[in-house]
Amino acid sequence: MTVRRGVRARRGTLVVHHRPASGGPGAQSSPATVGFVVSRAVGNSVVRHRVTRRLRHVVRERLAELPGGSTTVVRALPASAGADFAVLAADFATAVQAVRRSRP
């Protein structure tokens, strides 16, 4: 649902899909939810798991910036396989800023 209807921002190594919290009662008080999509196009199992671990660490550092109750999906592009941690962190930070600015 988030990938289809959310706001999308693409950066060099990843795509961030973001969907704000629904208007239900208590939606803002629940924590933000983040999911990851790392396809076989990124690499073999070892590479995909390494990318996922790095992305989890990047998101954990910036989770407080995401509004409560929102849903975010981080989709790794094939370029993320060769990217180091700093590049992933920079791409995620700029993508999150972009989706938060263009949010309805």
Side-chain angles (χ1 to χ4, degrees):
M1 191 71 119
T2 300
V3 174
R4 290 185 183 189
R5 296 189 181 166
V7 178
R8 178 179 54 229
R10 179 185 171 137
R11 296 300 177 260
T13 59
L14 49 89
V15 178
V16 172
H17 302 270
H18 180 77
R19 189 161 184 227
S22 61
Q28 298 296 331
S29 62
S30 62
T33 305
V34 179
F36 301 97
V37 177
V38 184
S39 74
R40 288 175 58 181
V42 172
N44 64 21
S45 178
V46 174
V47 172
R48 291 193 312 267
H49 283 86
R50 182 177 58 232
V51 169
T52 304
R53 284 192 307 269
R54 287 180 178 175
L55 288 173
R56 263 198 316 255
H57 187 74
V58 166
V59 170
R60 187 177 298 127
E61 289 181 348
R62 296 191 165 268
L63 193 58
E65 296 176 16
L66 299 173
S70 65
T71 305
T72 304
V73 175
V74 180
R75 184 165 48 100
L77 298 174
S80 64
D84 63 349
F85 181 80
V87 172
L88 292 173
D91 286 348
F92 181 74
T94 57
V96 166
Q97 289 173 355
V99 295
R100 294 216 47 212
R101 275 195 307 264
S102 64
R103 166 174 89 118

